[in-house]
Amino acid sequence: MALTLYTNKQSRGVVVDWLILDLGIEVERIEVAYGEEMKSAEFLKLNPFGKVPVLVDGDL
Ligand SMILES: N[C@@H](CCC(=O)N[C@@H](CS)C(=O)NCC(=O)O)C(=O)O
């Protein structure tokens, strides 16, 4: 399983992190900074709203 969680420690992404921890699921965590990074063209491809959390599961 290749899950990737794009998140920020000061966001509601901590709730997703908590669930992932409880379920014992392996995930790669990528910290995304508020501001420019979250609104960058690259990140907007993952979430057009430019917000975290974003969970990527393979092609989904
Ligand atoms: N409906 C979204 C809301 C996500 C959301 O509002 N995330 C905030 C952090 S808690 C965010 O990324 N804010 C950045 C911004 O609005 O620029 C969800 O529940 O995942």
Side-chain angles (χ1 to χ4, degrees):
M1 189 187 315
L3 289 178
T4 307
L5 177 65
Y6 294 84
T7 188
N8 182 290
K9 288 189 181 82
Q10 293 180 315
S11 77
R12 64 190 77 195
V14 295
V15 179
V16 180
D17 240 340
W18 182 8
L19 180 63
I20 283 170
L21 188 71
D22 270 3
L23 293 174
I25 294 171
E26 251 183 64
V27 66
E28 179 188 1
R29 283 175 185 75
I30 297 180
E31 186 78 7
V32 183
Y34 281 103
E36 272 182 38
E37 190 178 5
M38 220 173 271
K39 307 300 177 196
S40 68
E42 191 184 350
F43 189 73
L44 291 178
K45 282 185 208 161
L46 294 174
N47 181 2
F49 295 106
K51 291 174 184 279
V52 292
V54 173
L55 187 63
V56 175
D57 180 3
D59 292 337
L60 298 174

